[in-house]
Amino acid sequence: MIPLSVLDLSVVTTGTKPAAALQNSIDLARHIDGLGYVRYWLAEHHNLASVASPAPDLMIGQIAAVTKNIRVGSGGVMLPNHAPLVVAERFKMLEALFPGRIDLGLGRAPGTDGATAHALRSRLDRREGDDFLERLSELVLWETRGFPAGHPYNNVVAMPDDTPLPPIWLLGSSDYSSELAAQVGMGFAFAHHFASYDAIAAMTNYRSHFKSSGWRETPHGILAVAAVAAETDAEAEKLASSMDLNRLRRDRGQYLPLPSVEEALAYPYADAERASIARNRSRLFVGSPATILTKLQPMIAASQPDELMIITAVYDHDARKKSYSLLANAFGLGEKAAA
């Protein structure tokens, strides 16, 4: 069976304030740590009422400190929001504190709206357009010390200088990052849970064009999917109703805390709204463990990911923990951990 990992958004609900959502992330990580999952990644979002964590590096340190088995990383750091030197310093520190357990996942989107992105970057150098590749190159140079002769950064060292950067992963929802990750020889994670681009094409493109590098000798593709598991299909459908309503609202530009199941079930959906939810269900896998396995297998077989990363953003925290437990059992993670 394919290895499993976790993507956590520190979900804020109508009944869970942001501070409690952050504590829930730590509690979920403790729970995950003993189930056989490979890694636990945290996202970066800003000015979003349903996501509590804008700083994955801070959460990585907290979670790595209370776990022992899983790798902990960013899914991801939105590189355009940060000076590359700052990213290098913070993740070298994390790697020094938790050697061999940290991942540096990088995204090229701002993770927020235009005004907030401007506020985040207003004191940074004002580069125009998409400068992700430029920032990625600079980040790599802080590690390789390959700045040209006479460059002012030759006199600047990213501390701690006796610790390497952790493995770098490029995140994407289109063909751009899959192609770039292949060309520079880094790991790749595809966000199927919100992408409009075909996951199979992105994963296939990455694997077929991969060039070995000092970062990786072989490709490693992670497919991130949204899934909700429960004991029965009916119970899973109830849990997923919150995500259905939340997605419907987000499509209208309404970025609200995740609604309860009761609110979602009581909502008076119009026919067009039900059709929109049905279309969005192509990005969400819902059901009992057996049902989810059946739904996922064709995509796994076609895209051939090295790893499946699960995001479960349901209203009830205990139901979220239960979903990850059920999926761990369904994919035989406990058997792998015992072996």
Side-chain angles (χ1 to χ4, degrees):
M1 282 293 207
I2 188 171
L4 295 187
S5 291
V6 174
L7 176 61
D8 180 19
L9 299 184
S10 300
V11 178
V12 180
T13 76
T14 54
T16 307
K17 299 299 183 184
L22 296 176
Q23 294 297 327
N24 281 347
S25 287
I26 294 173
D27 181 65
L28 178 61
R30 286 195 182 101
H31 177 71
I32 293 296
D33 196 38
L35 295 180
Y37 284 81
V38 174
R39 67 189 88 239
Y40 193 105
W41 281 6
L42 299 117
E44 174 187 339
H45 288 283
H46 303 272
N47 193 32
L48 193 59
S50 59
V51 179
S53 174
D57 52 333
L58 295 182
M59 289 299 293
I60 288 168
Q62 293 295 312
I63 286 175
V66 299
T67 55
K68 296 179 180 179
N69 304 306
I70 52 174
R71 298 185 64 92
V72 190
S74 54
V77 165
M78 300 295 104
L79 189 55
N81 297 339
H82 309 279
L85 174 58
V86 173
V87 176
E89 289 175 332
R90 291 179 179 177
F91 277 82
K92 284 164 75 73
M93 281 187 65
L94 288 167
E95 180 67 21
L97 293 169
F98 308 101
R101 291 187 56 210
I102 304 299
D103 292 323
L104 173 51
L106 300 172
R108 59 190 281 256
T112 189
D113 59 275
T116 307
H118 183 271
L120 286 165
R121 305 173 192 178
S122 63
R123 295 295 184 267
L124 296 178
D125 54 334
R126 299 181 184 277
R127 310 181 201 188
E128 298 297 329
D130 185 349
D131 61 358
F132 177 77
L133 184 55
E134 182 182 349
R135 289 177 182 273
L136 176 63
S137 299
E138 183 181 321
L139 176 64
V140 168
L141 287 171
W142 287 116
E143 177 68 9
T144 62
R145 304 303 305 161
F147 291 107
H151 195 285
Y153 290 175
N154 275 323
N155 298 318
V156 183
V157 176
M159 295 293 288
D161 63 352
D162 63 341
T163 303
L165 276 177
I168 296 179
W169 301 78
L170 300 189
L171 282 54
S173 57
S174 68
D175 58 341
Y176 177 89
S177 291
S178 67
E179 183 67 33
L180 179 58
Q183 292 298 317
V184 299
M186 294 177 178
F188 174 61
F190 184 80
H192 172 270
H193 55 291
F194 66 79
S196 57
Y197 189 79
D198 181 51
I200 297 170
M203 299 295 286
T204 302
N205 181 60
Y206 167 67
R207 187 174 302 281
S208 62
H209 292 93
F210 183 86
K211 298 178 180 178
S212 61
S213 70
W215 299 100
R216 298 197 63 87
E217 292 185 1
T218 58
H220 190 107
I222 298 175
L223 181 62
V225 299
V228 179
E231 294 285 358
T232 65
D233 288 352
E235 180 61 24
E237 288 290 339
K238 285 180 61 178
L239 294 173
S241 64
S242 293
M243 300 174 72
D244 289 336
L245 179 55
N246 189 57
R247 181 56 188 257
L248 186 65
R249 287 171 169 171
R250 288 188 65 172
D251 288 345
R252 296 171 175 168
Q254 300 172 356
Y255 295 90
L256 303 173
L258 189 72
S260 67
V261 169
E262 291 74 19
E263 181 181 352
L265 293 178
Y267 184 89
Y269 294 98
D271 289 344
E273 291 173 324
R274 294 187 185 279
S276 178
I277 288 173
R279 288 192 298 271
N280 287 331
R281 277 300 187 95
S282 65
R283 300 188 187 98
L284 178 58
F285 299 88
V286 180
S288 67
T291 297
I292 289 180
L293 278 176
T294 300
K295 291 180 177 179
L296 278 173
Q297 281 305 329
M299 177 172 288
I300 293 172
S303 62
Q304 291 292 300
D306 298 285
E307 193 175 319
L308 205 62
M309 182 168 278
I310 307 294
I311 174 172
T312 301
V314 295
Y315 182 85
D316 183 79
H317 180 59
D318 287 335
R320 183 162 65 140
K321 292 166 67 174
K322 180 67 175 296
S323 178
Y324 281 114
S325 294
L326 291 170
L327 290 173
N329 290 333
F331 280 83
L333 300 193
E335 298 166 12
K336 294 178 186 176

